[in-house]
Amino acid sequence: MAVRENDLVLLVSLDDGVRLVARVTRGARISTIRGFINADELIGVGYGSIVRTSLGHEVAILRPSPVDILMERGERVTQVIYPKDAAQIIMSTGIGPGTIVAEAGVGSGFMTAFLAYYVRPNGKVYGFDKRRENLEVARRNLSMLGLLDYVELELRDVITEGFNINNTDVVLLDLGDPWNAIPNATQALKPSGYLVVYVPTINQVLKVLDKMRELKYADIKMMDVTVREWKTKTNEVRPNTWINAHTGYVIIGRKTIR
Amino acid sequence: MAVRENDLVLLVSLDDGVRLVARVTRGARISTIRGFINADELIGVGYGSIVRTSLGHEVAILRPSPVDILMERGERVTQVIYPKDAAQIIMSTGIGPGTIVAEAGVGSGFMTAFLAYYVRPNGKVYGFDKRRENLEVARRNLSMLGLLDYVELELRDVITEGFNINNTDVVLLDLGDPWNAIPNATQALKPSGYLVVYVPTINQVLKVLDKMRELKYADIKMMDVTVREWKTKTNEVRPNTWINAHTGYVIIGRKTIR
Amino acid sequence: MAVRENDLVLLVSLDDGVRLVARVTRGARISTIRGFINADELIGVGYGSIVRTSLGHEVAILRPSPVDILMERGERVTQVIYPKDAAQIIMSTGIGPGTIVAEAGVGSGFMTAFLAYYVRPNGKVYGFDKRRENLEVARRNLSMLGLLDYVELELRDVITEGFNINNTDVVLLDLGDPWNAIPNATQALKPSGYLVVYVPTINQVLKVLDKMRELKYADIKMMDVTVREWKTKTNEVRPNTWINAHTGYVIIGRKTIR
Amino acid sequence: MAVRENDLVLLVSLDDGVRLVARVTRGARISTIRGFINADELIGVGYGSIVRTSLGHEVAILRPSPVDILMERGERVTQVIYPKDAAQIIMSTGIGPGTIVAEAGVGSGFMTAFLAYYVRPNGKVYGFDKRRENLEVARRNLSMLGLLDYVELELRDVITEGFNINNTDVVLLDLGDPWNAIPNATQALKPSGYLVVYVPTINQVLKVLDKMRELKYADIKMMDVTVREWKTKTNEVRPNTWINAHTGYVIIGRKTIR
C-alpha cells in the first residue's frame, strides 16, 4: 500500500524514535528535527519504507493509527480522556460494532473519536456539550479521522435540558459535576445499560458513587489505569522515568429497574 | 429487552456485589451463594430487573459483556491474556472493524475472542496453535460468544512451518519463545503492519527486542498495564488490597521494508 | 558470628527460597517444609552457613532483620502498618536517633517497633491504645525484638483523654477516626513537628485533610507507597503476580503557631 | 525552639505550598517566588511560626528534615538514589544505630547521607568512589547535614583495587557495572551480611542476578518502589499527574559461606 496525496503519515526517526504525524500535501515540506522531507517524494512510496531527510537521517514512513493521529495532531481545548482509559472503558462495557453510546461532554472529542471508531459500521455516538467551541474542535478532530458519519454532535446542557435520546447502551459522563447529570443519564440509558463516569479527584468520586447508589445502579466498579512505557534501546531497557501517573478514575455501573 | 431461553445472564448480588454468569436453561436451577433462582422464572424478565433468590436476596439480572462471559465462564487450559492487556493492544494497533490479524498461539482463545469481537463484521482473525487441545478449548470459548464466524483456527507450529497467510495488518505472538517466530511473523505481516509480542519475563523481553531490532522493526514500544480496581462501598472507598500486578509485557513494533 | 542458644534465626531454603524465622531452643526440632533441623546442631554454627535438613535439603542460616522477625513471627491482633509504609514515614519525618514520637493506636505494635528501632539509643516512643489486649500483644512483639527500653506503652484513649505528653517531634495516628484525635495530637506536638496520619480509605482521607487544614497545618503531603517484589529465578525474572497493592494513605503535615 | 543564625530553614508558602530550604545568613535576603524575607527577622523566631514576605504572603518557618535539605539544596554531580529507595533499602537490611556499611560509588553522597543519618551514633559508613570530584561534592553535602563524623570517604576503584575493609554488615553498590564489583564486595562483607545493588535497567538486573547466584548469595530479593504523591487542596484531592515512576531496581542478597 502506497502513500497518496493528502494522507496523514507517521514518520519515525530510526536514530532516536522521534515520531511525527504529517499531512502529505503536494508541494509542501515536512520538517523533522533532523532535516526535512519533500512531501512530493513520499507520494507513491510504499508504507513501511525508509526514506532519508535532507540531512541524511533515516525515517520510517508508516500508517498512523487513530491514536497516533489524535495524540500527535488532535486539537485540544479541554483535558482529554487518554487512550489508556478509553481502551479500558470500551473493553469493560462491551462497546463494539453496533453499540449506541451517549457522551456528555464531548470536549475536544478524543473519547468521541475512540467510541466512533469502535461502534462502526452500524453503531452511533451521540455527543453533547454545552460549549459551541468544544463541538467545533471535536468536529474537526472527528473529520480528520473520517469518523463524522458515526457521530451526532449537539449543543446541549444535559444537566438542565436532559438528553434527547433514550434506550442507549452506554452513557458516558465527562463533566466537572457529573453527579448532577446522573438522573438524566439514567433516563437516556436502557435497563441493564452501562453508566460510565470519568473524574479526576476523589472528592468527585465520593459524590458520584453516592448518586449511583441512590439511583440503584448495580455492579458498580471503579478502577484506575496505569500504562507504563519503557525505553527499548539495546543496552538500556527500563521503564520511562516520568509518566503520566494519574488521569482520572473510571466508574462504571449498570442501570436497574424495579 | 427480555431474557430468553439459553441466554447467558450476569447475576449480581445487591447485598455484596458477588457476580455470576449463568446459562438460562429451561427447567434448571441457578445456584448463587445466597440461595437459588429457577431459570424458568427469568425467561421473559426484562434485563436490568431485580429478582429474589430462594432465600430472599436481591439479584440484578444483567446482560453480560464478552469480558464477563470469558472471565466468569471461559475454559482455561493455558495462561490467558487479560482484558486490561487486550484492551491496550487493540487500542495501540488500531485494531477495529475490518482488521486482519494473525495470532500464534491461540491458547485458550481469550485474546482470539477479544480480537474477533473488535474486527467484526468484515475483519478476520487467523489463529494458530500447535496443540490440538488448545484449539478445541478456544473453539468452545469462541462459540459460547458467537464469534466463530470471524475466526479461522489452524493446527500449526508457526516457528517450524511458518504462517500460511500474508499481508496481515497485525501479527500477535503469545508464545514461550516468540523470538523464534518473529522471522515467520515478519513474512506474514504487511509492510507498516504491527508486530505485537506478549511475554511475562524480562529475560524474554531482551531476546524479543534484540530480534525485532535485527529485523529492522521501527517505532518499537514496550509497556505494562496496571488496572487497579476499587472497593466502592459507602464508607469504604479504597483500592482493593490484592491485585494481579503483573501479567505480561506488551511489545509492539512496525514492519519496515528496504 | 555464631548462632547462640535462644537466638532467632532466619532459615532460607536454597531450593526454593522459602523463608522461616525460628527460635534456637536447645533440644527442639525446627520443622521446615522439606525436613527438620535439630536446633542443637545450629548452636555454634557461623551465621551465613549452609546446613542440611533431615531430608538433605540445603538451608542458609542467617541473622534475621527486625522486619523479618516481625513479619514472620510477630503476633497480629489488628491490621498492621507495613514496612514499606513505615520506611517512608520514618524517612519523610526525619525520625532517627534521639527523636521523640507519640503513637496512637499502637495495635499489634509493628509500627511501634520500627519507630523504636530507629529512635535508639536516646529517643523514645510513647505508644497509646485504648485496648489492653493490643498493648499486651505489642509488648510481646517489642520484647521479642529487644526494643522495650525505647518504648512507653499506656492504656489511654487519646480522643477523650488526650495525650499525657507534649513537645513531641512526631505524632502518628493509626486510628479508625483519626480526625477526632487531631486536636489532642496537636497539643502533644511541638511547633514545626510532624503529624502523621495513616488511613486506608479515601472517605477518611477527606476528613483528615479537612481537619488538618482547619488546624492550620502547613506543608501537608499525602502519598501512597507501592513496593513491587520480583521473582529472581535464573530464567524467570519478573514481578510477582499478586501484590498487596493498597495498605493505606500516609498524610503528613507540620504544626504551625500564630 | 527558635531559629538561630546560620540555621537551614524550610519555608513553605501557605498560599500554594511552594517549598524552599534557605540558610539564615545575617544581613541576607531570602527570596521567594512571592517576595523576600530578611534573614535577620527570622533569627529568634520560633520554629512553626508564620511570617510574611515583603509582598505580604504568609510563609511557615519549619525545621527541614535531612531529606528536605538534600533534595532542595544538595549538590548533584551524578544520578542520586532517591529517598523512597533509600528508605526501603535501609528498612530491608536492618540498617540502624551501630551498623557498618560500605558504599561504592558514593556519587553525590545522597545515599551516603541517608546511611550516615541512620547508623548514628555508633555506626559508620565507608564510602568509595573513583572520581575525586564526586567525593568533594559528597563531602560538602554531608557537611551541610552535619554527618561527616559518621563517614569515611576514600578515593578508590573497588573493582580494580578492592575494598580496604571487611566484616561489614552491608555493602551497597551503586555503579554502572556492579557485577564486576560483586567479588570484592563479597570479600568486604561478613557472612550473613547484606549485599545491596541498585541499577536502573533490566539489562543490568540480569547480570547482577547471575553474578549473585554464582557467588552463592541466599535470600535474593528484588523490588522496585513507587511513591505516589497527591495534591491535597480542599476540593482537588488526587494523585499528582506526573511522577518519577522509575528510578532503579533494588536487589538484595545475603552472603553465605561453605
Side-chain angles (χ1 to χ4, degrees):
Chain A
M1 199 169 176
V3 176
R4 291 164 309 177
E5 191 177 344
N6 290 324
D7 272 8
L8 289 168
V9 296
L10 170 65
L11 296 89
V12 181
S13 162
L14 297 198
D15 294 337
D16 56 15
V18 171
R19 313 169 90 244
L20 172 69
V21 173
R23 178 78 69 185
V24 179
T25 305
R26 201 172 282 276
R29 273 188 179 177
I30 298 169
S31 294
T32 81
I33 59 170
R34 304 200 179 205
F36 64 84
I37 297 170
N38 286 316
D40 292 9
E41 294 170 23
L42 290 183
I43 298 171
V45 163
Y47 276 106
S49 300
I50 310 293
V51 303
R52 284 182 183 275
T53 69
S54 58
L55 298 177
H57 291 282
E58 290 188 318
V59 173
I61 307 301
L62 304 171
R63 280 169 58 88
S65 72
V67 167
D68 293 329
I69 294 171
L70 271 183
M71 299 310 283
E72 302 290 336
R73 281 180 77 87
E75 275 182 74
R76 302 190 193 191
V77 280
T78 57
Q79 188 60 24
V80 302
I81 297 184
Y82 279 82
K84 70 180 179 71
D85 297 317
Q88 201 57 36
I89 289 169
I90 287 164
M91 180 67 89
S92 299
T93 56
I95 288 171
T99 305
I100 305 300
V101 186
E103 183 198 19
V106 158
S108 309
F110 279 42
M111 186 68 201
T112 324
F114 297 132
L115 293 169
Y117 190 77
Y118 287 103
V119 304
R120 286 176 307 147
N122 51 330
K124 186 71 93 175
V125 182
Y126 296 87
F128 304 95
D129 205 291
K130 63 183 185 184
R131 295 221 176 99
R132 191 175 299 278
E133 65 266 37
N134 288 357
L135 292 176
E136 283 162 9
V137 169
R139 192 177 300 278
R140 284 196 293 273
N141 285 331
L142 288 160
S143 171
M144 178 169 62
L145 288 159
L147 291 169
L148 268 177
D149 285 355
Y150 312 100
V151 179
E152 300 285 335
L153 295 177
E154 184 168 341
L155 184 69
R156 195 174 182 94
D157 181 340
V158 298
I159 294 174
T160 57
E161 305 174 75
F163 292 74
N164 61 354
I165 47 165
N166 49 51
N167 218 34
T168 59
D169 296 309
V170 178
V171 174
L172 191 152
L173 301 177
D174 181 18
L175 304 166
D177 57 344
W179 48 90
N180 289 325
I182 292 178
N184 285 338
T186 306
Q187 290 291 329
L189 201 54
K190 74 178 185 196
S192 182
Y194 293 88
L195 176 65
V196 180
V197 185
Y198 186 78
V199 288
T201 76
I202 62 173
N203 315 69
Q204 293 167 304
V205 160
L206 294 183
K207 288 178 187 168
V208 168
L209 289 175
D210 279 350
K211 183 57 81 176
M212 287 177 74
R213 284 186 293 247
E214 179 193 325
L215 295 183
K216 306 298 181 199
Y217 277 83
D219 203 23
I220 299 174
K221 293 182 199 167
M222 175 168 155
M223 65 190 85
D224 61 286
V225 180
T226 306
V227 173
R228 205 160 47 150
E229 300 200 6
W230 288 57
K231 287 185 194 300
T232 57
K233 278 191 256 171
T234 309
N235 285 309
E236 193 196 359
V237 180
R238 49 165 287 175
N240 285 347
T241 303
W242 292 92
I243 67 164
N244 185 331
H246 182 72
T247 51
Y249 298 106
V250 174
I251 304 171
I252 301 176
R254 307 291 298 267
K255 176 175 169 178
T256 62
I257 46 176
R258 299 256 169 185
Chain B
M1 199 168 177
V3 176
R4 290 165 309 179
E5 193 177 342
N6 289 325
D7 274 7
L8 288 169
V9 296
L10 171 64
L11 295 91
V12 181
S13 162
L14 298 197
D15 295 337
D16 56 15
V18 171
R19 314 169 87 244
L20 172 69
V21 173
R23 178 78 70 185
V24 179
T25 305
R26 200 171 283 277
R29 274 187 178 178
I30 297 168
S31 294
T32 81
I33 60 170
R34 304 198 180 205
F36 64 84
I37 296 170
N38 287 316
D40 293 8
E41 293 169 23
L42 291 184
I43 297 171
V45 164
Y47 275 105
S49 300
I50 311 293
V51 302
R52 284 183 184 274
T53 68
S54 58
L55 296 178
H57 293 281
E58 290 189 317
V59 174
I61 306 300
L62 304 170
R63 280 169 60 85
S65 72
V67 168
D68 293 329
I69 293 171
L70 270 183
M71 299 309 283
E72 302 289 336
R73 284 180 75 88
E75 274 181 76
R76 302 189 193 193
V77 279
T78 57
Q79 189 59 24
V80 302
I81 298 184
Y82 279 81
K84 70 181 179 70
D85 297 317
Q88 199 58 33
I89 290 169
I90 287 164
M91 181 67 88
S92 299
T93 55
I95 288 172
T99 305
I100 306 300
V101 185
E103 183 198 19
V106 157
S108 308
F110 280 41
M111 186 68 201
T112 323
F114 297 131
L115 294 169
Y117 190 76
Y118 286 102
V119 303
R120 286 177 306 148
N122 52 330
K124 186 71 91 175
V125 182
Y126 295 87
F128 305 95
D129 206 290
K130 64 183 184 183
R131 294 222 176 100
R132 191 176 299 277
E133 65 266 36
N134 289 357
L135 292 176
E136 282 162 10
V137 169
R139 193 177 301 277
R140 284 196 292 273
N141 285 331
L142 287 160
S143 170
M144 177 169 63
L145 287 160
L147 292 169
L148 269 177
D149 285 355
Y150 311 100
V151 179
E152 301 285 336
L153 295 176
E154 184 168 340
L155 184 68
R156 196 174 181 93
D157 181 340
V158 299
I159 294 174
T160 56
E161 305 173 74
F163 291 74
N164 60 354
I165 47 166
N166 49 51
N167 217 35
T168 60
D169 297 307
V170 179
V171 175
L172 192 151
L173 300 178
D174 181 19
L175 303 166
D177 57 344
W179 49 89
N180 290 325
I182 292 178
N184 286 337
T186 306
Q187 290 291 332
L189 200 54
K190 72 178 186 196
S192 182
Y194 294 88
L195 176 65
V196 180
V197 184
Y198 186 78
V199 287
T201 76
I202 61 173
N203 315 68
Q204 293 167 304
V205 160
L206 294 183
K207 289 178 187 167
V208 168
L209 290 174
D210 279 349
K211 183 57 80 175
M212 287 176 74
R213 284 186 294 248
E214 179 193 326
L215 296 183
K216 306 299 181 198
Y217 277 83
D219 203 24
I220 300 174
K221 293 180 198 167
M222 175 169 154
M223 64 191 85
D224 62 285
V225 180
T226 305
V227 172
R228 203 161 48 151
E229 298 201 6
W230 288 57
K231 287 185 193 298
T232 58
K233 277 192 256 170
T234 309
N235 285 308
E236 193 197 359
V237 180
R238 50 165 288 178
N240 285 348
T241 303
W242 292 92
I243 67 165
N244 186 331
H246 182 72
T247 50
Y249 298 106
V250 174
I251 304 171
I252 301 177
R254 307 292 297 268
K255 176 175 170 178
T256 62
I257 46 177
R258 300 257 168 181
Chain C
M1 199 168 177
V3 177
R4 290 164 310 179
E5 191 178 344
N6 289 325
D7 274 8
L8 288 169
V9 295
L10 170 65
L11 296 90
V12 181
S13 162
L14 298 196
D15 295 336
D16 56 15
V18 171
R19 314 170 86 246
L20 172 69
V21 173
R23 179 78 69 185
V24 179
T25 306
R26 200 172 284 276
R29 274 188 178 178
I30 298 169
S31 294
T32 81
I33 59 170
R34 304 196 179 207
F36 65 84
I37 297 170
N38 287 317
D40 291 9
E41 293 170 24
L42 291 183
I43 298 170
V45 163
Y47 277 105
S49 300
I50 311 293
V51 302
R52 286 183 183 275
T53 69
S54 59
L55 296 178
H57 293 281
E58 290 189 318
V59 173
I61 306 300
L62 305 170
R63 279 170 57 89
S65 72
V67 168
D68 293 329
I69 294 170
L70 270 183
M71 299 310 283
E72 303 289 336
R73 283 181 75 89
E75 274 181 77
R76 302 190 194 192
V77 278
T78 58
Q79 189 59 23
V80 302
I81 297 184
Y82 278 82
K84 70 181 178 71
D85 297 317
Q88 200 57 34
I89 289 168
I90 286 163
M91 180 67 89
S92 299
T93 56
I95 288 171
T99 306
I100 306 299
V101 186
E103 184 199 19
V106 159
S108 309
F110 279 42
M111 185 70 201
T112 323
F114 297 131
L115 293 168
Y117 189 77
Y118 286 103
V119 303
R120 288 177 306 149
N122 52 331
K124 187 71 91 175
V125 183
Y126 295 88
F128 304 95
D129 205 292
K130 63 182 185 184
R131 295 223 175 98
R132 191 175 299 277
E133 66 265 36
N134 289 355
L135 292 176
E136 283 162 10
V137 169
R139 192 175 302 277
R140 283 195 294 272
N141 285 331
L142 288 159
S143 171
M144 178 170 61
L145 287 159
L147 292 168
L148 268 176
D149 284 355
Y150 311 99
V151 179
E152 299 286 335
L153 295 176
E154 184 167 341
L155 184 69
R156 196 175 181 93
D157 180 340
V158 298
I159 293 174
T160 57
E161 304 174 74
F163 291 73
N164 62 353
I165 49 166
N166 48 51
N167 218 33
T168 59
D169 297 308
V170 179
V171 175
L172 190 151
L173 301 177
D174 181 18
L175 303 166
D177 57 344
W179 48 90
N180 290 325
I182 292 178
N184 285 339
T186 306
Q187 289 291 331
L189 201 54
K190 75 176 183 196
S192 183
Y194 293 88
L195 176 65
V196 180
V197 186
Y198 186 78
V199 287
T201 75
I202 62 173
N203 315 70
Q204 292 167 305
V205 160
L206 294 184
K207 288 178 187 168
V208 168
L209 289 175
D210 279 349
K211 183 58 79 177
M212 287 176 74
R213 284 187 294 247
E214 180 192 324
L215 296 183
K216 305 297 180 200
Y217 277 83
D219 203 25
I220 300 174
K221 292 182 199 166
M222 174 168 155
M223 65 190 84
D224 61 285
V225 180
T226 306
V227 173
R228 204 160 47 150
E229 298 201 5
W230 288 57
K231 287 185 193 299
T232 58
K233 277 190 258 171
T234 309
N235 285 308
E236 193 196 359
V237 180
R238 48 164 289 176
N240 285 347
T241 302
W242 291 92
I243 67 165
N244 187 334
H246 182 72
T247 49
Y249 297 105
V250 174
I251 303 171
I252 301 177
R254 306 292 296 267
K255 176 175 169 177
T256 63
I257 46 177
R258 300 253 169 185
Chain D
M1 200 170 176
V3 176
R4 290 164 310 178
E5 193 178 343
N6 290 324
D7 273 7
L8 288 169
V9 296
L10 170 65
L11 295 90
V12 181
S13 162
L14 297 197
D15 294 336
D16 56 14
V18 172
R19 315 169 88 245
L20 173 69
V21 173
R23 178 78 69 186
V24 180
T25 305
R26 200 171 284 276
R29 273 188 179 177
I30 297 169
S31 294
T32 80
I33 61 170
R34 304 198 179 206
F36 64 84
I37 297 169
N38 287 316
D40 291 9
E41 293 170 24
L42 290 184
I43 297 170
V45 164
Y47 276 106
S49 300
I50 311 293
V51 303
R52 285 182 183 275
T53 69
S54 59
L55 297 177
H57 292 281
E58 290 189 318
V59 173
I61 307 301
L62 305 171
R63 279 169 58 88
S65 71
V67 168
D68 293 329
I69 294 170
L70 271 184
M71 298 310 284
E72 303 289 336
R73 283 180 76 87
E75 274 182 76
R76 301 189 195 194
V77 279
T78 57
Q79 189 59 25
V80 302
I81 297 185
Y82 279 83
K84 69 180 179 72
D85 297 318
Q88 201 57 37
I89 289 169
I90 288 163
M91 180 67 87
S92 299
T93 56
I95 288 171
T99 306
I100 306 300
V101 186
E103 184 199 18
V106 158
S108 309
F110 279 42
M111 186 68 203
T112 323
F114 297 131
L115 293 169
Y117 190 76
Y118 286 102
V119 304
R120 285 178 307 150
N122 51 331
K124 186 71 91 175
V125 182
Y126 295 87
F128 304 95
D129 205 290
K130 62 183 185 183
R131 295 221 175 99
R132 190 175 300 277
E133 65 264 38
N134 290 355
L135 291 175
E136 283 162 9
V137 168
R139 192 176 302 277
R140 284 196 293 271
N141 285 331
L142 288 160
S143 172
M144 177 170 62
L145 288 159
L147 292 169
L148 269 177
D149 285 355
Y150 311 99
V151 179
E152 300 286 336
L153 295 176
E154 185 167 342
L155 184 69
R156 195 176 183 92
D157 180 340
V158 298
I159 294 175
T160 57
E161 304 174 73
F163 291 73
N164 61 353
I165 47 165
N166 48 50
N167 218 32
T168 60
D169 296 308
V170 179
V171 175
L172 191 151
L173 300 177
D174 181 19
L175 303 166
D177 57 344
W179 49 90
N180 289 325
I182 292 177
N184 285 338
T186 306
Q187 290 291 330
L189 201 54
K190 74 177 184 197
S192 183
Y194 294 88
L195 175 66
V196 180
V197 185
Y198 186 78
V199 287
T201 75
I202 61 173
N203 316 70
Q204 292 167 305
V205 160
L206 294 183
K207 288 179 186 166
V208 168
L209 289 175
D210 279 349
K211 184 57 80 177
M212 287 177 73
R213 283 186 294 248
E214 179 192 325
L215 296 183
K216 305 297 180 198
Y217 277 83
D219 204 24
I220 300 174
K221 293 182 200 168
M222 173 168 157
M223 64 189 87
D224 61 286
V225 180
T226 306
V227 173
R228 204 160 48 150
E229 298 201 5
W230 288 58
K231 287 184 192 300
T232 58
K233 278 192 257 171
T234 309
N235 286 308
E236 193 196 0
V237 180
R238 49 165 287 176
N240 285 348
T241 302
W242 291 91
I243 67 165
N244 186 332
H246 182 72
T247 50
Y249 298 105
V250 175
I251 303 170
I252 301 176
R254 306 292 297 269
K255 176 176 169 177
T256 63
I257 45 176
R258 300 255 169 184

